[in-house]
Amino acid sequence: MNKMKINNEKSFKEVTEDKAVAEILGKLGGEVPTIFDRSASMKCCPIGSSVSGICCKNCGMGPCRVREDKTGLCGATLGTITARNLARHIAAGAAAHSDHGRDLAHLLGLVAEGKAEGLEIKDELKLMKLAKNLGIEIGDRDIKEIARDTSKKALSLFGQQEGEIDLIKVAPGKRQEVWRKNNVVPRGVDREIVEVMHRTHIGVDQEAEHILDQAIRCAIGDGWGGSMIATEITDILFNTPQARKAKTNLGMLKEDEVNLVIHGHEPTLSEIIVELADNKELVEYAKSKGAKGINVVGICCTANEVLMRQGIAPIGNFLSQEIAIMTGAIELMVVDIQCIMQALGKLTKNFHTKLVTTSPKCKISGAIHMEFKDSNGLELAREIIKMAIDNFPMRKEKIYIPDVTSDLVAGFSHEYIKYMLGGRFRESFRPLNDAIIDGRIQGVVGVVGCNNARVTQDKYHNFLTRELIKRDYLVVLTGCAAISTAKCGLMEPEALEYAGEGLRSICEAVGIPPILHLGSCVDNSRILTVLSEVVQEGGLGEDISDLPVAGIAPEWMSEKALSIGTYVAASGVYTVFSGEPIPVESSSEVKEIMTKGWQEKYGGQLEYIPDIEELLNKVLSVIQEKRKALKIDIKKERVLLDMEARRALKDV
Ligand code: XCC
Ligand code: SF4
């Protein structure tokens, strides 16, 4: 282990922009190895970079290492292998999101039948909306019946074999036509994932463009299928988010309370834990063990879910998970699925912290497995909280909690944004469209995705967000990107002062911050819904591809991010990834297909630009081009009206 490399103040700042993480590394870095040490001592495998070609291990004659001038044993070319590898990544990402969505669809059915203890339908209006989109009869039927049928129909979309998945109808009509024309409307969520796996098996699909079209069909099944189902049903069962204040970062751990961290992606058990942590009896029990109370906080997207609905503090994003344990203040970390480092199993052994896995899909050696089975939620949550409390007196190491916190505002569902814009009785995206048309808002940019140990933690998210709002671009965030900007204080209400004049005037008038936290990774589907409704509102073209918007994943690392980027591009948005490594770097053919080729076919593209300033400039120029095409690029003079002029206007 190369401890020397990062065991000094300067290099801590090189690996993270998060002050709390840097502080802990400064105190304890090197004593126990973390991902930052591993990243310093192990370079990325160079295969895949343009000079070294790419590797295929799709059959037992390989691995074959292939370059521009050399094929694999079977004759597969560089372009084919690059496309196949990427398609498989996308299929894995889509599978992760969709399996998460499937579980929620299943859960909705159990709740409808009263078989999920501690859970109920919280947002009936939202249930009606989803039921309608899925073609379920509403009439004056009982809410439970509607919920049961909605669950059944949602579940059927995963295994559907023919036709089209219903939710693509949320997209503008013109967009649906683009997909139909290119034959990429998903027939069923699972079916497209399976077909990617089949087509990338040795000797099947061997034309890069054709393989990538299937990857697109699979990704659309994620965004407009699995992920959308996950978001909608989470809102139905746990409430559609509304703006709420909260705090973030490691300073939210409490020295004198039982600290319980929820980490992963699934909201269900976490929601129950959060609610139960206020239970008087349990709080009394904690007091009997010498603690002042029970403090539930989160990491990664489970944190985003409970932040959006309950205001629970996210104490960190992906790269903070080990660092949080190193505070010595965590009694128990309960994890479900996705983005949980296996390293936690070994790391927690150095501390009193208990690591508990709960999903039937995820076990980690060294962790205690306590399985969540839909119907045992309340009982399991109580057991986990009790275990955390019992562990409080077992603290042995020195507690070190950095005094670093930031305020934030989160909870921007598409419904809430619409409500803020138009007011309770006239919910509408009109004010947003008007602000974009008159240039006060130049465009909307999604900054999404992960942390990546090869990139300074949070740096790109924060840089881009600052630069964009300064130039009057409204920024929407999800996932770890959202936690980044929250940690550096960009989501504080005062952050408005960093925004350009036009954006600030709108935000002040409407009462929203210039940076909107839309939720977890599956909630990127909220962005799709917003874009569709903005198109429908009128004045900005007829399709998502006409809108002055872009998507960026500057610190991505997970396969889910690749699936997200692909469905966003396929929905007509200019999408750009940064960071390293670049999975298609070796093949100019594949890069060309995903940029020029997709632009022609889908009106959106997925590009990789490693240099962050170059990336920013590209995003700005793409959006300005869209404004030009819409003929809204000429900045209209803003006339300030006095009271009389306002009255006169009203009378017209
Ligand atoms: Fe995971 Fe969603 Fe990535 Fe963060 S952002 S590292 S996927 S937790 Ni989605
Ligand atoms: Fe090599 Fe072809 Fe087998 Fe890939 S599928 S490992 S290129 S022989």
Side-chain angles (χ1 to χ4, degrees), residues 55-66 71-77 81 84 200-203 206:
C55 171
C56 177
K57 42 188 175 61
N58 288 12
C59 89
M61 297 185 285
C64 293
R65 186 154 161 196
V66 164
T71 69
L73 258 62
C74 65
T77 58
I81 295 170
R84 278 202 308 223
T200 52
H201 181 276
I202 181 177
Q206 289 158 102

Side-chain angles (χ1 to χ4, degrees), residues 14-16 35-36 39 44 317-319 341 449-461 480 484 553-558 578-582:
E14 271 166 31
V15 298
T16 182
I35 190 168
F36 297 106
S39 151
C44 275
N317 42 6
F318 178 71
L319 285 177
M341 289 189 206
C450 322
N451 279 154
N452 181 324
R454 305 291 184 191
V455 175
T456 304
Q457 182 184 16
D458 304 342
K459 185 175 176 181
Y460 287 176
H461 296 140
C480 286
S484 294
E555 299 180 27
W556 77 280
M557 62 86 196
S558 95
S578 191
E580 285 183 71
I582 296 173

Side-chain angles (χ1 to χ4, degrees), residues 29-44:
E31 274 179 38
V32 280
T34 65
I35 190 168
F36 297 106
D37 300 279
R38 294 188 291 274
S39 151
S41 64
M42 186 167 78
K43 292 261 162 302
C44 275

Side-chain angles (χ1 to χ4, degrees), residues 109 200 341 406 416 514 526 540 557 563 635:
T200 52
M341 289 189 206
S406 310
Y416 188 75
R526 290 192 203 279
L540 288 170
M557 62 86 196
S563 178
K635 211 170 184 175

Side-chain angles (χ1 to χ4, degrees), residues 299-341:
I299 286 181
C300 279
C301 281
T302 301
N304 284 325
E305 298 282 4
V306 288
L307 163 68
M308 293 285 282
R309 298 183 181 85
Q310 315 237 34
I312 292 297
I315 54 165
N317 42 6
F318 178 71
L319 285 177
S320 304
Q321 55 188 291
E322 291 170 298
I323 308 302
I325 305 280
M326 287 159 73
T327 61
I330 296 174
E331 272 61 53
L332 192 147
M333 184 182 275
V334 53
V335 302
D336 45 69
I337 46 160
Q338 301 168 15
C339 304
I340 303 143
M341 289 189 206

Side-chain angles (χ1 to χ4, degrees), residues 13 80 150 175 213 248 272 355 382 410 540 546 603 623 643:
K13 293 208 180 99
T80 294
T150 304
R175 180 63 12 199
D213 276 337
T248 180
I272 305 176
L355 180 67
R382 181 170 287 121
L540 288 170
D546 298 325
I623 293 184
M643 227 26 219

